[in-house]
Amino acid sequence: MKFAYRFSNLLGTVYRCGNLNFTRDGNSVISPVGNRVTVFDLKNNKSDTLPLATRYNVKCVGLSPDGRLAIIVDEGGDALLVSLVCRSVLHHFHFKGAVHSVSFSPDGRKFVVTKGNIAQMYHAPGRKREFNAFILDKTYFGPYDETTCIDWTDDSRCFAVGSKDMSTWVFGAERWDNLIYYALGGHKDAIVACFFESSSLDLYTLSQDGALCVWQCDTPPKGLRLKAPTGWKADLLQREEEDAEGEEETTIRGKAAPAPEEQRGKVKYSRLAKYFFNKEGDFNHLTAAAYHKKVHLLVTGFASGIFHLHELPEFSLIHSLSVSDQRVASIAINSSGDWIAFGCSGLGQLLVWEWQSESYVLKQQGHFNSMVSLAYSPDGQRIATGGDDGKVKVWNTLSGFCFITFTEHSSGVTGVTFTSTGYVIVTSSMDGTVRAFDLHRYRNFRTFTSPRPTQFSCVAVDSSGEIVSAGAQDSFEIFIWSMQTGRLLDVLSGHEGPISGLCFNPMKSILASASWDKTVRLWDMVDSWRTTETLALTSDALAVTFRPDGAELAVATLNSQITFWDPENAVQTGSIEGRHDLKTGRKELDKITAKHSAKGKAFTTLCYSADGQSILAGGMSKFVCIYHVKEQILRKKFEISCNLSLDAMEEFLNRRKMTEFGNLALIDQDAAEEGGIAIPLPGVKKGDMSSRHFKPEIRVTSLRFSPTGRCWAATTTEGLLIYSLDARMLFDPFELDTSVTPGRIRAALRQRDFTRAILMAFRLNERKLLQEALESVPWDEIEVVSSSLPDLYVEKVLEFLASSFEVSRHLEFYLLWTQKLLVAHGQKLKSRAGKLLPAVQFLQKSIQRHWEDISKLCDWNRYNVQYALAVSKQRGVKRPSDPPGSEDEAGPPDDDEDGLHLLRGRPGEVGAGGPLP
């Protein structure tokens, strides 16, 4: 049960591809990230990834008008009907083809998908339980090329569909007599977006070459007439046809140039105006657009990263700014029209901009290339990641947002670690530098270099934070620096191959170094860096790590083995064969099978659990394995991704892709698409034809366990994955017997036998009963009850208190419990510090979060009160506590000089980090 971990959040990547959506209240952005969907709560500053995954990358997301349902469609045409309320999948469906866009009608009764050159309208799933959630209503033909976009009228009577054949089609959602279909031309490039005007059939169409056409309809929406049958026979025939749902009833075939007699009495469109965005040449294509009907705001994004804000129908420019140098892939506007979300798939950027105040609400970007390393801060509240793009990002584990990015490295980052204080990050890079970053002032305050240029492959810092070590990849040496002075202290030589890993013993001054020369060397930091032991291995060492108590050393080797050593006696204590547990997949261009390619794969990253009883291992595979160290058996295997858009996911090749000329994967399917080709060279109009798409290979580059023991993290091709303890596992008893029942627990509470009730509740281990038992204890009896608890249950009470701090409102009550427990059992807990450390750190993390929130609130209230007093002093307003005539007395008040010093700083900076007032 201790390893009932489940996926909880995805960090490191904020946007990949697909369309962005705002929730109904406009406070959250729904962003597709690979084959998952992340919800960014902008009001509460928190991100959360839905616990679901599609088979391929998400292509489009459609939200119902009430915000309860979402249809998520991937690149393969598989759809998930998801409830955003209970965060679960309600229905699976396959559209039998690639879907470009999906849109609900404003009344929520229908939704339309564009697939190929057709549009299909389905009955939207309602609140009633249905056998088939997706029922096809009508299929609309008309465009000759792929359909690209959809928009509905406000009354859900009609919808418009844009196509790559430069035409826009208006279809009736019902059997209208005067509007079945209408084709609009006037463009010279593919249609990117089309929008209806509010409460009207007037239409705006935008094409890829930056042209906007304004279309006026001669009929209002209420002027649409239902097609009435003639006679009772026609009525009967119509009912029979509707019941039979025949092909003639559900298919509407449009004509681009209908006969004149067919157009009599029908709705007609006329083009009022045509505007052009592009003044910069043919290469800057329009790639995305969004329109807010109430405020008449049009937002357009271009391939160069520029976006424009226009007011329609006058086409007056409001803003013209640049997001980045990459194409804007998706744009969304919230319900109030204040916030605009931009997604740039090239760099993985997500921005939310408030256009009226011209300020950012959210500005997040993941690593441009794959993440290579990660490290948890000692309190578990921050995660630092380093990537091949040379950036170091620090993420908040509670909010899921990146709050600082360091860009000083000029090449890929190979190692990241925190010092024991948690406010200094040390990184190594292929650019030949090791840098130390300060999290108080967010700056690079130390840069360590070697006498001659070398590439560093790993980094480690000792428990005191004074000694920094880094391993070289080309000179086979280990460099030692002083954190205080920045000077090079020593160069350790002895290895005959590249250094693959470094790790300090948490309890002693011993450094372990792993190398490709099939050895692990132990260096004594106190005794002049002398080599104390050399551990001989059977294969090249790829990773090394110490157990949290420093009594054991684990090494991963190239032959897929994990060996365990006693560092004191240099004796091997065990080994695990992990070749069959890796289960690597076969890449599309591999000539050999996955079974044979697995012989060359091994674990490349290791990490002990917080209690030291288990070890996590990962490598060039989609699996992360957790082994029991003592029993040397596989406890659990996590599949980190099921995304078939990544390479090496399947064990066998798809035979349908094999032809007599070779694998179809060799052909770049997106090479002919203008939107899929990068344009890095100036003056190039048709794109760089050498640019190609490729499928990144699935792999796990780094694993770390949180010091709190509640979660672990993995840097993968998909991003930074967080796995937390599964809170849904309800029944996990402890030393249970037949005498422990909920009835007896409540009976003991009624008899005021609180200690026995708490012990029985922990043996039954149901959260609601635990909460009831603890909260039934009067506050003045907490000290007596906590001192009478056995030592075995003290750790369990502390873990429960730590988890309760995250959800409970009884902050003072649980703080009192925590204080009395630590005072009564502090000495005994200190003797078991190694085992209790995860629980204590989890408790510290929960209390620290509340302390930060309350301290900011108290400082803000204190500032407001003192500001009000200062203003009242200036105006001569007498306070109720002042004696008569005090406002006429000369001299400064007791607090300070009229309280005016408070006006010199920003309110949020007053005592933000100080003690509580």
Side-chain angles (χ1 to χ4, degrees):
M1 182 55 62
K2 291 202 172 202
F3 288 89
Y5 290 92
R6 65 181 176 91
F7 172 79
S8 65
N9 207 355
L10 172 64
L11 310 181
T13 312
V14 292
Y15 175 75
R16 280 278 173 82
C17 59
N19 63 312
L20 299 171
N21 287 274
F22 274 97
T23 53
R24 186 185 180 188
D25 57 5
N27 295 328
S28 300
V29 178
I30 299 178
S31 171
V33 185
N35 68 331
R36 300 181 183 273
V37 175
T38 302
V39 181
F40 294 93
D41 190 344
L42 305 176
K43 190 176 182 180
N44 299 315
N45 190 33
K46 193 173 182 180
S47 71
D48 189 22
T49 304
L50 298 179
L52 53 93
T54 56
R55 296 178 69 241
Y56 294 90
N57 285 336
V58 176
K59 180 69 174 177
C60 53
V61 179
L63 289 185
S64 62
D66 58 1
R68 296 173 177 267
L69 298 176
I71 297 177
I72 302 171
V73 188
D74 64 14
E75 294 173 346
D78 287 310
L80 301 178
L81 177 63
V82 179
S83 170
L84 297 178
V85 178
C86 59
R87 296 158 47 89
S88 60
V89 178
L90 303 179
H91 187 67
H92 293 261
F93 190 77
H94 187 60
F95 284 110
K96 299 179 182 178
V99 174
H100 191 280
S101 57
V102 56
S103 177
F104 276 87
S105 62
D107 60 5
R109 298 174 58 189
K110 305 285 181 66
F111 70 89
V112 172
V113 297
T114 57
K115 181 184 68 173
N117 65 338
I118 64 172
Q120 292 181 325
M121 185 166 65
Y122 288 81
H123 290 284
R127 298 185 180 182
K128 297 180 181 179
R129 184 170 295 181
E130 298 167 327
F131 178 74
N132 185 9
F134 293 174
I135 301 175
L136 180 62
D137 185 19
K138 294 182 180 67
T139 302
Y140 297 87
F141 292 86
Y144 295 103
D145 205 343
E146 291 185 12
T147 48
T148 56
C149 54
I150 312 168
D151 191 56
W152 286 83
T153 56
D154 290 341
D155 54 6
S156 305
R157 296 187 173 200
C158 304
F159 64 91
V161 174
S163 173
K164 287 185 178 180
D165 65 359
M166 302 175 287
S167 66
T168 306
W169 293 74
V170 181
F171 293 108
E174 303 292 339
R175 294 170 52 88
W176 305 120
D177 185 31
N178 52 346
L179 177 58
I180 302 176
Y181 62 87
Y182 198 98
L184 301 172
H187 286 281
K188 298 180 180 179
D189 209 338
I191 304 298
V192 174
C194 54
F195 306 106
F196 280 104
E197 189 55 89
S198 177
S199 302
S200 173
L201 291 178
D202 296 346
L203 192 65
Y204 302 105
T205 57
L206 296 95
S207 59
Q208 196 171 347
D209 59 354
L212 167 67
C213 288
V214 183
W215 303 90
Q216 186 181 29
C217 182
D218 63 351
T219 306
K222 294 183 179 178
L224 296 177
R225 305 183 304 271
L226 278 173
K227 182 181 290 186
T230 56
W232 64 271
K233 292 184 178 181
D235 191 14
L236 182 61
L237 181 61
Q238 178 189 355
R239 291 179 184 177
E240 290 177 355
E241 288 176 349
E242 288 180 353
D243 293 339
E245 293 185 352
E247 180 68 22
E248 294 79 14
E249 182 68 26
T250 59
T251 302
I252 296 177
R253 300 184 180 273
K255 299 177 184 179
E261 57 270 11
E262 294 181 9
Q263 297 181 359
R264 291 197 189 99
K266 305 291 184 181
V267 168
K268 291 183 181 180
Y269 276 89
S270 59
R271 191 175 73 184
L272 286 183
K274 188 173 184 179
Y275 303 102
F276 294 93
F277 295 94
N278 272 348
K279 307 294 182 185
E280 303 161 5
D282 296 336
F283 66 91
N284 191 17
H285 294 295
L286 190 146
T287 55
Y291 180 62
H292 196 280
K293 299 180 181 180
K294 294 182 180 178
V295 297
H296 305 285
L297 179 68
L298 175 67
V299 187
T300 51
F302 295 85
S304 60
I306 296 173
F307 70 92
H308 299 319
L309 271 69
H310 286 86
E311 185 178 5
L312 295 182
E314 293 82 7
F315 197 68
S316 56
L317 181 65
I318 302 173
H319 286 298
S320 179
L321 298 171
S322 176
V323 177
S324 67
D325 57 353
Q326 299 288 325
R327 65 188 293 266
V328 179
S330 179
I331 300 176
I333 309 176
N334 74 338
S335 55
S336 63
D338 297 327
W339 293 349
I340 306 171
F342 299 94
C344 300
S345 57
L347 294 176
Q349 287 179 320
L350 177 62
L351 301 101
V352 179
W353 194 59
E354 188 173 14
W355 65 276
Q356 291 176 336
S357 63
E358 300 185 28
S359 60
Y360 285 112
V361 179
L362 173 70
K363 188 177 182 181
Q364 291 284 298
Q365 178 181 342
H367 286 278
F368 176 64
N369 291 329
S370 59
M371 283 182 284
V372 175
S373 56
L374 81 118
Y376 265 102
S377 62
D379 58 2
Q381 296 193 46
R382 301 183 182 95
I383 295 178
T385 59
D388 285 336
D389 56 358
K391 294 180 180 179
V392 178
K393 291 180 175 286
V394 188
W395 307 82
N396 189 317
T397 57
L398 296 175
S399 67
F401 287 117
C402 171
F403 61 89
I404 185 64
T405 301
F406 299 106
T407 58
E408 280 77 7
H409 283 297
S410 59
S411 187
V413 178
T414 56
V416 175
T417 185
F418 276 90
T419 60
S420 56
T421 61
Y423 292 103
V424 175
I425 299 173
V426 183
T427 61
S428 61
S429 172
M430 301 294 281
D431 62 2
T433 62
V434 173
R435 298 178 183 268
F437 300 96
D438 182 11
L439 290 185
H440 281 301
R441 298 180 181 176
Y442 301 123
R443 63 188 180 95
N444 173 209
F445 71 95
R446 284 281 185 275
T447 301
F448 309 100
T449 57
S450 56
R452 55 185 179 274
T454 185
Q455 293 180 323
F456 295 113
S457 58
C458 50
V459 67
V461 182
D462 72 333
S463 56
S464 65
E466 297 295 326
I467 303 298
V468 179
S469 65
Q473 188 167 321
D474 42 9
S475 64
F476 313 155
E477 295 171 329
I478 302 171
F479 297 87
I480 309 296
W481 296 275
S482 168
M483 179 70 81
Q484 290 289 338
T485 63
R487 294 177 54 190
L488 180 66
L489 300 179
D490 205 349
V491 179
L492 309 180
S493 57
H495 281 295
E496 300 174 359
I499 311 299
S500 57
L502 293 175
C503 187
F504 274 97
N505 191 320
M507 301 300 173
K508 296 181 180 179
S509 55
I510 300 293
L511 174 68
S513 62
S515 172
W516 291 7
D517 62 0
K518 303 181 181 180
T519 61
V520 170
R521 293 177 180 264
L522 302 179
W523 312 82
D524 193 345
M525 186 172 61
V526 177
D527 192 7
S528 302
W529 297 100
R530 184 175 57 86
T531 307
T532 58
E533 296 291 347
T534 301
L535 311 180
L537 306 172
T538 57
S539 186
D540 299 2
L542 302 180
V544 62
T545 183
F546 273 100
R547 203 167 68 184
D549 59 1
E552 190 175 69
L553 183 73
V555 184
T557 54
L558 192 59
N559 57 358
S560 302
Q561 282 189 347
I562 304 173
T563 55
F564 301 96
W565 299 79
D566 181 3
E568 286 290 327
N569 305 314
V571 177
Q572 182 175 344
T573 58
S575 66
I576 294 175
E577 180 64 47
R579 188 185 308 278
H580 300 292
D581 300 325
L582 267 174
K583 274 195 176 179
T584 57
R586 182 174 180 178
K587 293 192 285 186
E588 289 186 338
L589 302 181
D590 277 351
K591 301 296 184 183
I592 59 176
T593 62
K595 186 176 181 181
H596 286 286
S597 66
K599 296 179 181 178
K601 302 296 175 65
F603 293 119
T604 57
T605 176
L606 293 176
C607 175
Y608 273 97
S609 62
D611 56 5
Q613 296 182 5
S614 302
I615 191 167
L616 279 78
M620 298 292 287
S621 168
K622 62 178 179 178
F623 292 106
V624 171
C625 303
I626 295 185
Y627 293 98
H628 192 284
V629 176
K630 190 175 182 181
E631 302 292 337
Q632 297 178 9
I633 59 174
L634 179 67
R635 275 191 162 183
K636 189 173 178 62
K637 189 158 63 172
F638 293 92
E639 186 179 6
I640 59 172
S641 177
C642 60
N643 189 1
L644 297 181
S645 296
L646 303 175
D647 208 357
M649 285 296 298
E650 295 182 290
E651 188 174 355
F652 302 101
L653 286 181
N654 189 350
R655 295 296 176 186
R656 288 179 293 181
K657 292 185 178 181
M658 300 302 295
T659 66
E660 57 180 326
F661 304 105
N663 196 337
L664 288 177
L666 290 168
I667 304 174
D668 191 0
Q669 299 289 341
D670 298 324
E673 293 186 8
E674 196 67 33
I677 295 179
I679 308 174
L681 301 176
V684 178
K685 295 185 177 182
K686 292 299 181 183
D688 181 10
M689 300 307 295
S690 64
S691 175
R692 291 293 180 266
H693 287 76
F694 67 96
K695 295 176 68 173
E697 184 179 355
I698 184 69
R699 61 175 177 166
V700 180
T701 53
S702 184
L703 289 168
R704 289 295 180 269
F705 222 100
S706 172
T708 63
R710 306 287 297 181
C711 56
W712 57 271
T715 54
T716 67
T717 313
E718 292 253 276
L720 176 59
L721 305 178
I722 309 293
Y723 285 80
S724 302
L725 279 175
D726 194 348
R728 298 174 300 176
M729 307 295 287
L730 297 177
F731 191 61
D732 182 20
F734 172 72
E735 295 183 357
L736 186 64
D737 56 29
T738 56
S739 62
V740 179
T741 61
R744 295 194 177 185
I745 294 173
R746 292 188 174 94
L749 290 176
R750 287 193 295 270
Q751 296 170 8
R752 301 183 67 80
D753 191 353
F754 299 115
T755 304
R756 187 165 66 91
I758 291 173
L759 294 182
M760 285 195 297
F762 273 98
R763 290 174 68 180
L764 195 60
N765 204 11
E766 284 196 9
R767 184 169 185 84
K768 290 185 178 180
L769 275 176
L770 288 171
Q771 183 178 351
E772 182 181 349
L774 284 176
E775 293 181 357
S776 299
V777 180
W779 67 270
D780 54 351
E781 295 188 26
I782 292 178
E783 184 174 3
V784 179
V785 174
S786 60
S787 60
S788 63
L789 289 175
D791 297 338
L792 186 62
Y793 289 86
V794 172
E795 179 184 359
K796 295 183 175 298
V797 177
L798 287 176
E799 288 182 356
F800 177 79
L801 291 174
S803 61
S804 298
F805 275 119
E806 296 183 344
V807 294
S808 178
R809 295 177 296 176
H810 306 300
L811 185 58
E812 184 182 2
F813 182 79
Y814 283 116
L815 281 173
L816 193 61
W817 261 106
T818 305
Q819 180 190 17
K820 300 303 181 184
L821 275 173
L822 294 178
V823 169
H825 302 273
Q827 292 298 327
K828 295 180 181 178
L829 294 176
K830 200 171 183 180
S831 61
R832 296 186 293 140
K835 186 178 179 182
L836 290 173
L837 188 60
V840 174
Q841 286 179 328
F842 183 38
L843 186 66
Q844 179 189 1
K845 176 184 175 182
S846 303
I847 296 177
Q848 178 76 16
R849 183 172 65 88
H850 281 291
W851 180 82
E852 290 176 354
D853 294 341
I854 294 177
S855 64
K856 290 178 182 177
L857 181 63
C858 291
D859 289 334
W860 176 250
N861 292 338
R862 179 182 173 187
Y863 171 83
N864 285 335
V865 170
Q866 292 181 350
Y867 176 77
L869 293 177
V871 172
S872 66
K873 281 285 185 183
Q874 283 185 329
R875 296 181 178 179
V877 178
K878 184 173 69 175
R879 287 180 290 182
S881 58
D882 291 341
S886 61
E887 65 271 15
D888 298 329
E889 296 177 1
D894 296 336
D895 295 337
D896 51 342
E897 303 139 19
D898 294 333
L900 294 178
H901 77 289
L902 291 169
L903 304 177
R904 299 177 191 139
R906 292 167 55 193
E909 296 176 349
V910 180
L916 288 172

